[in-house]
Amino acid sequence: MASSWYPGPELAWQLHAGCPDACILFESVRDDTGTLLDFQWTAFNPAAEPLVEGQGRALSAWRGVEGLPERGILGGVVEGGTPLTFELHGQVAGAERWFRARAVKQGDGFALWLSDITESHAQLRSLREELERERAARAREEHLRLALETARMVTWEWSSARRTLLWSSNADVFFGWPLGSVADTPERFLDGVLPEERSLVAEALEQGLRAEGPYTFQFRGRWADGTVRCYEVVGQTLREEGQPMRMLGVVMDCTERARAQAALREAEERYRLASWATNDLLWDWNPSTGHIHWGEASHTVLGYLPEEMGGIDWWTQQVHPDDREMVLRNLEHAVESGGDSWVGEYRFRRKDGTYAHVLDRGLLARDAKGHTVRMIGSIMDITERRRAVERMEEEARFRERFIGILGHDLRNPLNAITLSARALLRRGLSPPYQQLAQRIETSAARMGNMISDILDLTRVRLSGGIPLNLAPTSLPLVCQQVVEELTVAYPERGIVLESEGEGEGIWDPERLAQVVSNLVSNALEHGTNEGPIFVRCTGDVQRQVLEISNPGAPIPSHQLATLFDPFRQVGVMRSGRGSGLGLGLFIVRELVEAHGGQVTVRSDENNGTTFKVLLPRDARQSARVRSQAAGAEHTA
């Protein structure tokens, strides 16, 4: 196989003198222009024969050899003369070999020297693999440490040979032990367990030695700072020839889980007690599945056992057909509108087929996108309450109709009495009979006031307010007329009228006169004779103010809140000239509010009692007046 080309003397000695390194001579293959096309070998020493055997002469045709540089790189060795070192890897005589190769310029080619480094390469590879395994082991150990810390766990191992406990590196921090101290025996470990649980833990470990397969138990331990934590042990015993040789497992910190479970138990207990205490039927609806969880009060409220009640479709079928559409529409609106609550009142079919009037209330829970994910609520049976309210409303309507009819029909005989008394007074009766006729007329007037008050009360209760006839009105002029009339009736009492600022507005003059008369009469009836009664009219562009003040004992504070309620009287009337029904202040409030105004009272020992009325300049702006006018037109 040797080439006809013969190398120089020095190279020939190296090729044939038993040199252990393989050497192959390559020469350049060029075209007519001198361009390098390839390399081909021309000679080799005996050590290189296994490498050359089976390969073509052209270097580019060599197969199964890895690491050969590209043609241009080897051309650089020939052109520049700089040696090139690299590694080759391939199959030689059926065995995998590694060589350190060095290409050295030789004429118009190069000599390729090959040193076998298979053994050292294997050692290096073995070292690298060992380092990689060690690196992987350290990584696994670090991953295990991080996993244990994240999961709040430690690992432990006990062997019968050592009789000691081995813990993972984070055990001291995990158990709250002083840094560097580890409970390396079962006895030292039990010292960290609460005293009342040590015997149970020792017994659990003994049972673990006899257990076939995994076992678990819980205990509580106290940290060095006094903190009590809850732990769960999961372990397994390994046996040889039936005898326990090793125990290993993990310990998990379950303190937060135990607290959450305790809180859940307390919440469930509160839920159960609340259900019993309120006697309401609690429910929990999952809109995505349609399932409804019914509370234990279902049998008491509706006659069903919880397992007899179904989901949303079942509930829909139990709603009274006349109420179903309205209830479902309102529920759908609550779910889709983004609201957080829903209230419905409807009839629901009991198990016995009868219908209960129920009040259903629910709260909606939504996710981050606003979708309803849960709805919790309660059903209250209001059947008896509804019946009681209906009976009360019917009785109240009957009483008010009766009072209204009675007050209206009493006016005819009362007018006859009044006219007869006045006729007798005009005939010039003797003084005793003159006094009797005067008393009859006064009593008839009181009865007339009582009837007027009753009719006003009836209007408020039945039609929602007292109708007004609004017109341009001067409040000071109205006050002057009322004061003059009452001065004649109470000549011994002083009534002082003061007026300042604007006094005109759009009001009902007759009803304002009734307001002033009732307030001044109230002051005359309940005030003292020690000082005058002041009637003050003041105003600005926006509103009119009316104040009536009288001296005397203050109104008890506990009576101020109900002073304007009907049939309420404070103190004792002095003259007996009022109606005596306790409706005067109630009617004052209704008339003032009908005008869109407000009436208040203050009373103390030093300043006596003052009623203050605030009126808007134009009562037509009052929504209440407009609604009352519409009601009056509808009634007409």
Side-chain angles (χ1 to χ4, degrees):
M1 294 182 61
S3 168
S4 60
W5 175 79
Y6 188 79
E10 182 179 354
L11 182 58
W13 180 87
Q14 292 175 339
L15 289 174
H16 299 287
C19 177
D21 291 342
C23 182
I24 307 172
L25 297 180
F26 287 90
E27 66 178 5
S28 301
V29 179
R30 303 177 183 273
D31 60 13
D32 296 339
T33 62
T35 301
L36 179 64
L37 300 178
D38 200 351
F39 293 95
Q40 63 182 11
W41 60 263
T42 58
F44 54 86
N45 67 357
E49 185 173 353
L51 292 170
V52 177
E53 186 176 0
Q55 302 286 1
R57 293 181 66 87
L59 184 61
S60 61
W62 281 32
R63 299 291 182 265
V65 179
E66 298 179 1
L68 279 173
E70 295 180 355
R71 181 183 61 200
I73 297 176
L74 291 173
V77 174
V78 176
E79 299 296 334
T82 302
L84 177 66
T85 302
F86 50 93
E87 284 190 3
L88 289 180
H89 169 224
Q91 294 287 331
V92 178
E96 189 175 22
R97 312 296 290 177
W98 278 264
F99 299 91
R100 180 176 292 108
R102 182 176 178 81
V104 181
K105 177 178 174 60
Q106 182 73 29
D108 191 25
F110 62 89
L112 181 61
W113 295 92
L114 300 169
S115 300
D116 193 328
I117 58 171
T118 302
E119 183 176 351
S120 61
H121 190 277
Q123 294 176 350
L124 180 60
R125 183 175 61 179
S126 176
L127 178 59
R128 288 175 177 172
E129 291 175 351
E130 181 67 24
L131 291 175
E132 187 62 29
R133 286 194 295 270
E134 183 178 351
R135 187 180 301 108
R138 286 198 300 268
R140 287 195 298 271
E141 183 178 349
E142 179 65 14
H143 290 161
L144 177 61
R145 183 187 66 80
L146 293 175
L148 291 174
E149 290 181 357
T150 303
R152 299 191 62 80
M153 298 170 59
V154 293
T155 60
W156 60 275
E157 180 182 356
W158 175 88
S159 68
S160 59
R162 293 192 304 268
R163 309 294 296 177
T164 58
L165 282 171
L166 296 179
W167 297 93
S168 54
S169 60
N170 60 327
D172 48 3
V173 176
F174 179 82
F175 286 111
W177 297 329
L179 293 178
S181 64
V182 176
D184 54 359
T185 64
E187 292 75 19
R188 290 187 61 187
F189 172 71
L190 288 174
D191 289 341
V193 179
L194 292 184
E196 60 268 25
E197 297 185 7
R198 289 173 185 170
S199 61
L200 298 177
V201 174
E203 182 180 354
L205 291 173
E206 288 295 329
Q207 293 177 353
L209 281 173
R210 300 187 295 271
E212 296 291 340
Y215 57 88
T216 181
F217 62 89
Q218 291 186 356
F219 70 93
R220 290 178 298 163
R222 191 183 304 278
W223 284 22
D225 61 1
T227 303
V228 175
R229 309 288 294 183
C230 180
Y231 301 101
E232 182 175 3
V233 177
V234 178
Q236 186 167 1
T237 300
L238 304 180
R239 304 174 183 277
E240 293 182 7
E241 299 181 355
Q243 297 298 318
M245 301 302 295
R246 297 171 61 204
M247 297 175 67
L248 51 87
V250 296
V251 182
M252 296 172 285
D253 189 327
C254 60
T255 306
E256 299 303 325
R257 186 180 67 188
R259 291 173 181 171
Q261 291 174 344
L264 180 60
R265 288 193 297 270
E266 292 178 1
E268 290 176 346
E269 181 66 13
R270 284 195 298 269
Y271 175 87
R272 184 175 59 85
L273 293 176
S275 178
W276 288 353
T278 61
N279 202 31
D280 289 355
L281 172 56
L282 303 182
W283 51 265
D284 188 345
W285 173 41
N286 184 342
S288 63
T289 63
H291 175 74
I292 300 177
H293 174 77
W294 298 98
E296 299 176 357
S298 60
H299 187 268
T300 303
V301 177
L302 299 173
Y304 299 98
L305 295 175
E307 56 268 22
E308 295 175 328
M309 305 176 72
I312 189 67
D313 293 335
W314 178 89
W315 169 82
T316 301
Q317 293 303 315
Q318 312 315 310
V319 178
H320 194 283
D322 294 343
D323 301 337
R324 189 175 299 155
E325 181 180 355
M326 175 196 67
V327 173
L328 293 178
R329 184 172 61 251
N330 292 341
L331 178 60
E332 182 180 2
H333 175 74
V335 171
E336 296 180 354
S337 65
D340 56 4
S341 64
W342 168 75
V343 177
E345 187 173 334
Y346 55 90
R347 288 165 291 179
F348 193 87
R349 183 166 53 210
R350 300 187 181 96
K351 187 176 181 180
D352 60 8
T354 61
Y355 282 91
H357 284 274
V358 299
L359 177 63
D360 201 346
R361 293 166 291 189
L363 294 177
L364 292 89
R366 301 181 182 276
D367 59 17
K369 296 181 179 179
H371 299 148
T372 302
V373 296
R374 191 178 184 186
M375 189 173 180
I376 300 175
S378 65
I379 293 178
M380 177 189 297
D381 187 344
I382 60 171
T383 305
E384 294 303 322
R385 186 177 72 181
R386 185 181 179 90
R387 290 173 182 171
V389 170
E390 290 175 350
R391 288 195 298 268
M392 292 173 60
E393 291 176 349
E394 182 61 30
E395 292 175 359
R397 286 193 295 268
F398 173 77
R399 287 196 301 269
E400 290 175 353
R401 289 193 187 98
F402 176 77
I403 291 174
I405 294 172
L406 181 63
H408 184 273
D409 292 347
L410 281 177
R411 285 191 179 277
N412 291 331
L414 186 60
N415 288 336
I417 293 173
T418 301
L419 293 174
S420 299
R422 291 176 181 174
L424 290 174
L425 289 173
R426 286 195 297 269
R427 291 188 177 185
L429 300 175
S430 58
Y433 294 103
Q434 185 85 10
Q435 186 177 3
L436 290 174
Q438 183 66 47
R439 186 175 299 169
I440 292 172
E441 183 181 13
T442 302
S443 297
R446 288 188 60 205
M447 290 182 66
N449 292 336
M450 293 172 65
I451 292 172
S452 297
D453 289 347
I454 289 174
L455 290 177
D456 284 340
L457 173 65
T458 304
R459 292 189 185 99
V460 171
R461 292 295 177 84
L462 293 181
S463 61
I466 301 174
L468 303 178
N469 295 315
L470 302 178
T473 304
S474 173
L475 181 59
L477 183 58
V478 171
C479 292
Q480 181 180 353
Q481 293 173 350
V482 173
V483 168
E484 290 176 353
E485 294 174 359
L486 292 176
T487 300
V488 174
Y490 295 85
E492 73 282 1
R493 300 292 301 277
I495 304 176
V496 179
L497 174 62
E498 298 177 350
S499 178
E500 180 181 350
E502 298 287 339
E504 286 71 27
I506 305 298
W507 304 304
D508 186 331
E510 295 297 330
R511 290 303 188 179
L512 280 190
Q514 190 176 356
V515 170
V516 178
S517 178
N518 283 358
L519 291 177
V520 176
S521 297
N522 182 77
L524 291 169
E525 295 293 340
H526 299 287
T528 64
N529 297 326
E530 298 176 356
I533 295 171
F534 288 93
V535 179
R536 301 182 181 90
C537 294
T538 60
D540 53 29
V541 176
Q542 298 295 329
R543 64 180 183 174
Q544 180 68 40
V545 181
L546 170 65
E547 289 185 330
I548 290 90
S549 303
N550 65 271
I555 301 172
S557 58
H558 68 277
Q559 295 182 350
L560 290 175
T562 59
L563 190 62
F564 294 96
D565 292 349
F567 307 111
R568 296 282 182 176
Q569 291 183 340
V570 179
V572 180
M573 291 186 297
R574 301 177 184 277
S575 65
R577 299 177 65 92
S579 68
L581 294 176
L583 295 174
L585 293 180
F586 168 75
I587 292 172
V588 166
R589 184 187 66 185
E590 293 298 319
L591 290 174
V592 171
E593 291 182 354
H595 282 83
Q598 180 183 13
V599 57
T600 57
V601 60
R602 65 177 184 273
S603 185
D604 56 57
E605 190 71 36
N606 297 327
N607 301 311
T609 301
T610 299
F611 286 85
K612 185 176 182 179
V613 176
L614 299 177
L615 294 172
R617 284 291 172 189
D618 190 346
R620 291 175 299 186
Q621 299 177 1
S622 170
R624 182 172 178 181
V625 170
R626 291 194 295 271
S627 63
Q628 290 170 358
E633 292 175 1
H634 177 74
T635 303

